Amino acid sequence: MNERLFRQAMGKFATGVTVVATEVGGKVHGMTANAFMSVSLNPTLVVVSIAEKAQMLEYMKKSKQFSVNILSAEQKELSMIFAGQLKENREVSFDQLGGVPVLPGAIAQVVCEVSAAHVEGDHTLFIGKVKEIQVNEHRGEPLIYYSGQYRSLAE
Ligand code: FAD
Ligand code: NAD
């Protein structure tokens, strides 16, 4: 399969953007991810897909818990920071929800315990059992990702 064609096709699936965050040894690690999906209502489960080459993989295996922070349109810079797209290191402060770091300003914060991890190809699918949720309606519109570009919602 042609890899470029695969990326081009997958990029046509417009998504929101999340930052997945976890803490190991008192250090918070965040990573931008759009491979996020709601899985089950009863029990409440979500999934995130983490590349084998991502530093995040080992942190997730160690901490066994993580947050998914759904970014607002105003948080494009944070998406770039946590995707390694900005050259300089930036200090980012996190809040805590249920003992897990969450990103202030996100339109929703979902805290999970890892309930299963499935290695599939060059990614690991982490199934998260949802423990805490905070929805911040007043944060406005979500950040959108489409064809490798950040976008915003249009009426
Ligand atoms: P690093 O490259 O070490 O960390 C990522 C960046 O975050 C670094 O610049 C680091 O300085 C910064 N950072 C981490 N923690 C902190 C902190 N506490 N304070 C301040 N800065 C910090 N990859 C996937 O595996 N799955 C996906 O679903 C996915 N979706 C993506 C969606 C989009 C829109 C984009 C742009 C990228 C996506 N990626 C995805 C790629 C992934 O975000 C990058 O490859 C990322 O750099 C991998 O991070 P890492 O864990 O290897 O850690
Ligand atoms: P892109 O144009 O290569 O990606 C378009 C789409 O292809 C993405 O939205 C995603 O659905 C898919 N994709 C890209 N790389 C993938 C990978 N390694 N594994 C599985 N699916 C992948 O690139 P972009 O959107 O400009 O992304 C910027 C960077 O972030 C690239 O290095 C890309 O590989 C990475 N990224 C990784 C994932 C992922 O691992 N699931 C998702 C999005 C972006």
Side-chain angles (χ1 to χ4, degrees):
M1 175 52 64
N2 178 316
E3 191 180 299
R4 204 174 66 84
L5 184 62
F6 177 77
R7 285 172 180 237
Q8 191 186 357
M10 295 305 111
K12 298 299 175 205
F13 186 56
T15 65
V17 183
T18 77
V19 169
V20 176
T22 196
E23 189 169 345
V24 174
K27 193 175 165 285
V28 176
H29 187 83
M31 191 197 93
T32 301
N34 68 347
F36 163 67
M37 189 177 80
S38 165
V39 170
S40 159
L41 196 55
N42 187 19
T44 44
L45 300 173
V46 298
V47 64
V48 291
S49 178
I50 309 292
E52 67 183 5
K53 64 177 197 295
Q55 312 257 21
M56 186 54 134
L57 185 61
E58 285 309 311
Y59 293 118
M60 296 266 284
K61 285 184 188 167
K62 283 202 177 104
S63 70
K64 297 186 176 61
Q65 53 184 12
F66 62 94
S67 68
V68 181
N69 302 273
I70 300 175
L71 300 189
S72 80
E74 282 77 53
Q75 294 181 306
K76 177 176 151 185
E77 193 173 84
L78 283 173
S79 174
M80 295 179 75
I81 290 173
F82 290 106
Q85 293 172 326
L86 291 184
K87 288 283 163 268
E88 73 274 31
N89 282 346
R90 301 279 179 89
E91 192 135 324
V92 179
S93 56
F94 285 81
D95 291 339
Q96 292 277 321
L97 181 65
V100 176
V102 291
L103 256 189
I107 50 180
Q109 299 152 331
V110 182
V111 169
C112 303
E113 218 169 59
V114 173
S115 71
H118 304 282
V119 179
E120 293 294 341
D122 57 13
H123 279 59
T124 297
L125 304 177
F126 286 93
I127 308 293
K129 171 119 183 40
V130 178
K131 294 291 169 189
E132 303 272 354
I133 291 176
Q134 195 155 290
V135 179
N136 306 306
E137 295 284 7
H138 63 284
R139 291 293 177 186
E141 301 290 323
L143 182 62
I144 304 294
Y145 201 65
Y146 175 71
S147 272
Q149 309 262 327
Y150 294 104
R151 305 288 187 101
S152 49
L153 281 183
E155 283 299 322

